[in-house]
Amino acid sequence: MVAMPHPTPHTKPITRDDVARLAGVSSAVVSYVVNGGPRPVSAANEAKVRQAIRALGYRPNSAARALALGSSEMLALIVPDAINPFYASLARAVENAAAEQGYTLLLADSQDSLRTERRLIKNFAARRVDGLFLSSVLFEPDLIDLEQADIPVVLLNHPADVVAKGGAEGHGANAVGVDFQEGARAAVEHLISHGHERIGLVIGGNADSELDAREVGWHQGIQDAGLTAGPIIRVPFTREGGFHAGQELLARSERPTAVFVSSDQQAAGFLCALHEGGLRLPEDLAVFSFDGAPESEYTWPRLSTVAQPLKDLAQAALNALLTPEPGQETQAKTQIFPAELVLRASCGCR
């Protein structure tokens, strides 16, 4: 078979019928090959179709396909910080889970901005994605645009305490998250087991100024042991924020002997500042962080961290978005996973 020249910008767009004529098959057979079904195609016919596609430079019309299927076959994920290793790993886990079901994932970064988050939600609602995963900068985000467009949404990485107050369910949105409070409490309890009696906190903020569940868990762990709380340093959820927290701690005349840090990304900057200040870790100060991001294993010392089960979160979120249980279509459902303590050198474990 002689290959035909590729179309130029001035030629008529190549259609499925053109491919069918060149391959000597019906347009339906071309559709089955391009879409992977729903009917099987013989190996000989599939080879003819693929050769014709290459010869003509045919590209399927995704808009027409979406119209025919009644589905864009696209899901969207909004995270507050796409360059944060934790959110990057979470996005990959969601993308892998979505791909197994034949969906493409669109990733957007709200950059910790409520205004940007709202703009992205409106954008995805207008583009008619099949569903949205939202890791919001708010505990109780505004989902009206998605509700009006009848687009399902799952609040991802959502804290259990907000759900208990009706935050997620009040919107009619499914939520998937980790027990932040219990994870933080367990981390503090572990630091106490090393003999620490004054434990500080480095904590990030949120757009609606609600009390973070990790702070609640930190308080609970200290109170349960009958200890006095150490200092609280409030900084952004960034490496720079953690670095400034470390500098602030170094400037204090009285320091705690251990610190719980609300994210691995903050903890990386925190450790850097402590090293520059000449502190020995964990001899002078023990550190325990939260998230279980990949970089936690490659700091010095290696970070003890409260790890979130990313694959479980991603799969549960996808299931909640695509396959609601009978009777759950209008009633929100929440799944909260336990976190796991990963013990390394920064807390004093070997």
Side-chain angles (χ1 to χ4, degrees):
M1 182 181 295
V2 179
M4 294 178 62
H6 288 285
T8 68
H10 302 290
T11 61
K12 184 176 67 174
I14 302 299
T15 68
R16 188 174 60 189
D17 289 339
D18 295 327
V19 175
R21 279 193 292 270
L22 183 58
V25 298
S26 68
S27 60
V29 170
V30 175
S31 177
Y32 300 154
V33 172
V34 170
N35 298 321
R39 295 185 179 180
V41 176
S42 69
N45 281 342
E46 181 176 357
K48 291 178 184 178
V49 169
R50 296 202 179 281
Q51 185 176 2
I53 287 174
R54 289 193 296 270
L56 295 173
Y58 170 68
R59 294 183 182 277
N61 186 328
S62 58
R65 171 178 167 79
L67 186 63
L69 294 176
S71 165
S72 66
E73 296 183 309
M74 288 188 180
L75 303 174
L77 167 63
I78 299 175
V79 296
D81 183 4
I83 63 174
N84 182 322
F86 168 74
Y87 285 113
S89 298
L90 179 62
R92 172 174 285 186
V94 174
E95 183 175 27
N96 289 342
E100 290 180 359
Q101 298 297 322
Y103 286 87
T104 297
L105 183 73
L106 304 176
L107 175 64
D109 184 355
S110 69
Q111 300 178 44
D112 277 315
S113 164
L114 177 56
R115 182 177 180 180
T116 302
E117 179 182 298
R118 287 173 173 165
R119 175 178 58 80
L120 291 170
I121 289 174
K122 287 181 179 291
N123 192 323
F124 284 131
R127 292 176 180 273
R128 305 292 304 179
V129 294
D130 289 328
L132 175 70
F133 305 100
L134 175 61
S135 187
S136 180
V137 299
L138 293 174
F139 285 159
E140 299 186 43
D142 182 2
L143 306 176
I144 187 64
D145 291 295
L146 297 168
E147 292 170 359
Q148 291 178 343
D150 198 25
I151 295 174
V153 59
V154 170
L155 301 179
L156 185 54
N157 199 39
H158 212 62
D161 63 326
V162 175
V163 173
K165 294 188 297 183
E169 295 177 1
H171 286 289
N174 289 320
V176 174
V178 165
D179 195 335
F180 288 85
Q181 181 174 329
E182 174 56 24
R185 189 208 61 77
V188 170
E189 182 180 67
H190 182 79
L191 289 170
I192 293 171
S193 75
H194 280 283
H196 297 287
E197 296 183 353
R198 192 158 189 263
I199 301 171
L201 172 68
V202 174
I203 185 77
N206 52 76
D208 48 11
S209 301
E210 290 283 342
L211 187 63
D212 192 291
R214 284 162 287 197
E215 183 171 345
V216 176
W218 169 77
H219 270 294
Q220 182 184 349
I222 291 171
Q223 290 173 353
D224 289 348
L227 301 177
T228 301
I232 299 177
I233 302 176
R234 302 186 187 279
V235 291
F237 280 106
T238 61
R239 296 182 185 90
E240 293 82 3
F243 186 82
H244 292 314
Q247 290 181 316
E248 182 176 335
L249 191 75
L250 287 167
R252 293 175 178 263
S253 57
E254 293 186 11
R255 301 175 191 141
T257 61
V259 173
F260 174 66
V261 185
S262 59
S263 79
D264 292 341
Q265 186 167 232
Q266 288 172 313
F270 187 67
L271 293 183
C272 182
L274 298 182
H275 282 304
E276 287 190 0
L279 262 64
R280 298 171 304 154
L281 304 171
E283 293 84 358
D284 297 329
L285 187 75
V287 177
F288 214 115
S289 62
F290 199 103
D291 278 340
E295 72 175 344
S296 67
E297 193 172 358
Y298 297 96
T299 60
W300 186 256
R302 294 184 176 186
L303 272 170
S304 296
T305 184
V306 183
Q308 302 194 51
L310 296 184
K311 290 184 179 180
D312 292 340
L313 289 173
Q315 191 60 58
L318 184 70
N319 293 343
L321 197 69
L322 300 181
T323 56
E325 295 180 7
Q328 292 291 345
E329 292 82 355
T330 58
Q331 180 182 357
K333 181 181 178 182
T334 299
Q335 286 184 268
I336 298 298
F337 290 85
E340 177 188 1
L341 297 189
V342 178
L343 304 178
R344 301 190 181 111
S346 72
C347 72
C349 289
R350 299 294 180 184

